[in-house]
Amino acid sequence: MTLAHWGKILWEHWGIEAELTRLDGEYDLNFLAKGLDGQGYVLKAMRPGCEEWLVDMQVKAFEHIARQLPDLPCPRVIVSISGASLLKLADGEGRDRLVWLLNQLPGRCYAKAEPKTDALIHEIGQVLGNAARALADFHHQGLERDFKWNLMQAGWITDQLFCITDPARRAILQDVAAEFSHLEPVLAKLRKQAIHNDANDYNIMVAGELGAARRVSGLIDLGDMCVAPRVCDLAIAAAYIVLDHPAPEAALASIVAGYHAAYPLTAAEVDLVWPLLQMRLAVSVVNSTLMAANNPDDPYVTISQAPAWRFLESNGLNSGLVKARLRAACGLPVVEGADRVMAWLDQERGGFAPLMGADLVDAPMGSLSVEHSTWPQNPFHMPLEEAARVGEEFEDEGRIWLGYYAEPRLIYTDTAFRRGPWKASNRRTVHLAVDAFAPAGTAMFAPLRGEVIAAENRSRHLDYGGVIILRHETPDGDSFYTLYGHLDPEFLNRLKPGDTVERGEEFCRLGDPSQNGGWAPHVHFQLALTTEGIETDWPGVGDPDEMYLWQALCPNPAALLNLPAEKVLYQPTRKDDVLAGRRAYFGGNLSLTYSNPVMLVRGWKHHLFDEWGRPYLDAYNNVPHVGHAHPRIQAVAADQLKRVNSNTRYLHPAQTAFAEKVLSKLPDHFEVCFFVNSGTEANELALRLARAHTGKKGMVTPDHGYHGNTTGAISLSAYKFNKPKGIGKVDWVELVEVADDYRGSYRRDDPDRAQKYAALVDAAILKLQDAGHGVAGFIAETFPSVGGQIIPPKGYLSAVYRKIRAAGGICIADEVQTGLGRLGECYFGFEHQGALPDIVVMGKPIGNGHPLGVLVTTKEIAESFDNGIEFFSTFGGSTLSCRIGKEVLDIVDDESLQENARSQGKRLIEGLKMLEQKYTCVGDVRGMGLFLGLELINPDGSQATEICSYVKNRMRDHRILIGSEGPKDNILKIRPPLTIDTDGTDMIVKTLDRILREVEAS
Ligand SMILES: Cc1ncc(COP(=O)(O)O)c(C=O)c1O
């Protein structure tokens, strides 16, 4: 009845025929109206008795915004046929209501939108800033009301704090309210204007499909408008943005920077954001506590407080640092006078007393960067003996050398440098000082007069040891600070806070490793423009993604060393330059993973590091089978290259040692090894062997397989030749359907599926025989990988082998992906199938990155191939390859990596199965050991290519490298080095959980 009534009104007064549905609303009636033309509207029928000025204010404000900034995503008021924006009409019960109509905006509310990226939050700030800009000259009598939600009047909570019975919580609010009361006079002086005043997470709309960037599609609901300083508007929106955000300080910086970009703020306004934000949350919880007292049966009132309390009680943010951060995010001086200090330092450059008592202009620079240095060998652990030797390669008989400012380094390995729960979480890597390396005992002189504000011995391992902080003053009276770390703490006998050190005065000296935290002797010389928020505990390194803050707070101190800034400023290789070079020098089909590619310059076990030292969990690469940069591989390679690296035309014990090791892992009927350079070459050779042995040409292989990039191997790789511009199938190859019992012709509910898939080989054999090719053999990835990480039903391969042998062919197991312990339960995939091939091909992992392929076969087949023509592969079986190959297999044994693949694989698959239960887009979880696949599907069960691409790219954003496979590229491929640990497997599951939640939310 109601819907029909309002539908009729819409038709009669606006001429719009539409289908109505009721929207939420506490007092007013709101309807979503879908017009027959597909256009959406929101019909608003205010509660009876609603004051007209309140609605008139909103209508006029929307109309004002539309005139001032027509592109701003705010709803438009639709005028009625009579030309009115606001009508007074009777509802179904005959009561008068004020009725108006808006167009509907696309998207969903921010509260329900995912992911909440910094870019999206920045845009929210921009939209809000623009809305305030548009409203700057909007006036309406209604704006001047007394209003508990006007932040300027928020002091009302002070008298109501008694309602918060928990003393700890009350104390938090008392502090917030006390700070607010100090700021009230500041607030009162700011210009006031019309503001939205309630840009909470339900009043901001966000649009954008999966994979596309999210954008702000609406700022709605002007019902809480009032007149106040515009910063109140920003603080209110920010108060919702930070709630339950994993990095609230970054989110806050984004919204403030966005606002500033649209409607520039003053430093004084920026300083108010944080205290006002907290005050808004305080008003919120006090208000709902009071309401709860009036509505004791409404649990919603208290539930809605939970995120605000969580934030107020445990955000752990330092207000001084937040202030500096927000100023830096806006490009404003981090502290009053910071710009003057920098100008003064620049002007005085060259006139400061030399810190080391010597001119440093010609001092050489030494890089300890992620890119240029290998300190420490293990980027997760800096042992005592390495710390004491850091940079020894730059040692030159005690001559001073300098370490760079803004240089990313991996030498800071303590978990205190980590910014999240995982080894691959963000990490502080970027050096915020200049180092001067010189012998222990070297005296240091104050560059200028300063007051000691800290003189301490921080003797913890890898801390500063002796450290001094001085406060200085420019002639204009602006303060700044310098820090000297890694000192001999002997100064403690002489210096204490409050003392003065004169310009040029010798005031301390470099410590040795027993005094300076354990490091090679050097001073860490850092400048800071304020100590607010960092006090005497300055971070010496910062997160590479937060350099906008740290470089503003602790700028390049070169001037104080009388050096040009460029000399000590680290210039990393720019990823964009490398990318441009790639595009210039290489073919377009040399593909690059991720929409935002990664540049990787170091690795360790199952982690990789980019040029800024950001760690990534490598859950994709199977080549570093025993882990990236394995010390034993490094040692063997270096050792052998010092001796000889020759070929198989000469004898070397490494050749037979490697062959014996390989054969020890295989059934006895394999007796002969061929060493080549790659999986491709091994498969190419396998094809020749099969043909030599059988005298036939034809090959059978499953669809979507991959065996390499040469002409012969490509002909066996449907994954390549069947691509739209592929070479197509040659007549001597016959394809059979992959034994995919999740999506293929025979599914898991069919007990005979293994035999049924195997039977498909019969037709292929007949075809080859009919065509006159005969059957040389069958080649398959034992578990198809590029086909979608498929585990064929047990018994499939042995049944196929029987048929192939009956037709005179031989059976080739391509174990490039599956061999060498990855499957956990078995060393090779064919063991799981109860099958015995005639040829086994190994590649990639067997060299751990060194180019190496191995083929093993029976004596008979090798003899058929031995027709008097020499077989020679120049580098295949080189001395170095043999040493490395054997070392890899030894490491798998010595470090129990097959067992690790079994146990971590089990943990991973259990976690993934939980996700399968939780998310409808996860169709299948399959695999063995560390050879795993997660098939993503659309609601109709079809292959979800787009979702897969989204998840893969988002995993990269969250520092996990995984791949995607399958004919429709909808299967996530998880295939880490065998060293992966619980930290890694749990990170994969937890991060996937988060990203799949984003998928389901979009
Ligand atoms: C199953 C399989 N066989 C063979 C190859 C070819 O190996 P390579 O690239 O070392 O020549 C690959 C490479 O991805 C593979 O996955």
Side-chain angles (χ1 to χ4, degrees), residues 678-680 683 706-708 781 814 816-817 844:
S678 65
T680 301
N683 280 324
Y706 182 64
H707 300 288
E781 297 165 69
D814 182 336
V816 168
Q817 297 274 346
K844 301 190 200 234

Side-chain angles (χ1 to χ4, degrees), residues 610-893:
D610 72 11
E611 71 281 18
W612 285 102
R614 297 184 193 102
Y616 296 81
L617 172 68
D618 187 355
Y620 177 69
N621 288 293
N622 60 345
V623 174
H625 193 62
V626 298
H628 292 277
H630 198 293
R632 280 176 62 180
I633 303 293
Q634 293 176 37
V636 150
D639 178 70
Q640 193 54 45
L641 287 173
K642 275 186 239 167
R643 298 165 192 277
V644 66
N645 187 18
S646 189
N647 60 57
T648 48
R649 286 201 176 119
Y650 310 104
L651 291 177
H652 194 286
Q655 298 155 356
T656 45
F658 182 31
E660 278 161 15
K661 181 77 193 186
V662 171
L663 293 173
S664 76
K665 296 292 179 187
L666 286 152
D668 288 345
H669 97 139
F670 293 108
E671 291 179 279
V672 182
C673 296
F674 292 83
F675 298 145
V676 289
N677 303 288
S678 65
T680 301
E681 199 185 335
N683 280 324
E684 191 78 31
L685 181 61
L687 180 60
R688 289 179 65 199
L689 259 66
R691 285 176 172 171
H693 188 67
T694 60
K696 300 286 192 291
K697 189 175 178 192
M699 293 292 294
V700 181
T701 187
D703 204 353
H704 304 300
Y706 182 64
H707 300 288
N709 60 49
T710 50
T711 308
I714 282 282
S715 299
L716 295 169
S717 303
Y719 165 71
K720 294 280 181 193
F721 71 64
N722 262 345
K723 286 259 155 75
K725 289 189 181 166
I727 56 165
K729 187 175 78 60
V730 293
D731 64 353
W732 51 266
V733 168
E734 282 305 322
L735 295 180
V736 288
E737 184 182 339
V738 187
D740 173 0
D741 61 6
Y742 172 71
R743 193 170 279 285
S745 300
Y746 311 108
R747 307 277 170 101
R748 288 175 198 159
D749 55 0
D750 181 347
D752 299 326
R753 60 197 186 283
Q755 303 308 321
K756 287 181 179 168
Y757 276 118
L760 301 176
V761 167
D762 295 337
I765 291 171
L766 277 179
K767 268 195 179 164
L768 289 174
Q769 287 167 341
D770 287 352
H773 297 303
V775 179
F778 173 84
I779 182 167
E781 297 165 69
T782 307
F783 295 171
S785 180
V786 293
Q789 300 290 93
I790 290 158
I791 311 291
K794 252 195 162 139
Y796 165 73
L797 216 51
S798 48
V800 171
Y801 284 5
R802 273 196 299 280
K803 290 174 185 294
I804 294 292
R805 286 188 178 123
I810 66 159
C811 302
I812 305 166
D814 182 336
E815 291 275 354
V816 168
Q817 297 274 346
T818 40
L820 316 186
R822 170 163 299 277
L823 301 173
E825 275 175 35
C826 42
Y827 203 81
F828 290 103
F830 65 78
E831 296 167 29
H832 170 260
Q833 286 282 312
L836 187 61
D838 304 300
I839 293 177
V840 176
V841 164
M842 289 157 259
K844 301 190 200 234
I846 201 161
N848 212 59
H850 182 78
L852 182 53
V854 173
L855 178 154
V856 293
T857 189
T858 61
K859 258 235 150 44
E860 299 72 42
I861 293 173
E863 276 164 7
S864 305
F865 185 58
D866 181 10
N867 59 0
I869 303 171
E870 179 198 27
F871 170 76
F872 182 59
S873 170
T874 305
F875 303 114
S878 73
T879 339
L880 179 61
S881 295
C882 290
R883 291 272 322 264
I884 289 180
K886 172 157 188 304
E887 198 70 10
V888 169
L889 301 187
D890 285 343
I891 294 170
V892 172
D893 291 346

Side-chain angles (χ1 to χ4, degrees), residues 538-596:
W538 303 12
V541 278
D543 182 335
D545 296 325
E546 295 194 327
M547 279 302 113
Y548 71 92
L549 165 63
W550 297 113
Q551 293 203 24
L553 196 66
C554 298
N556 186 340
L560 285 157
L561 298 170
N562 300 320
L563 294 174
E566 317 76 71
K567 176 177 168 87
V568 297
L569 178 65
Y570 181 73
Q571 306 279 1
T573 300
R574 286 168 26 111
K575 190 170 86 173
D576 287 350
D577 293 343
V578 177
L579 186 57
R582 272 261 306 214
R583 295 202 169 121
Y585 309 137
F586 303 114
N589 53 356
L590 193 70
S591 80
L592 202 50
T593 311
Y594 305 121
S595 38
N596 176 13

Side-chain angles (χ1 to χ4, degrees), residues 32-35 37-42 102-105:
L32 179 64
K34 271 275 170 241
D37 56 356
Q39 174 68 47
Y41 303 90
V42 177
L102 295 165
N103 67 334
Q104 188 206 0
L105 296 174

Side-chain angles (χ1 to χ4, degrees), residues 27 131 153-154 170 199 404 480 509 516 611 703 808 883 897:
Y27 309 110
Q153 300 165 14
R170 193 166 58 235
Y404 286 99
F480 66 95
R509 55 185 191 230
N516 75 358
E611 71 281 18
D703 204 353
R883 291 272 322 264
L897 293 181

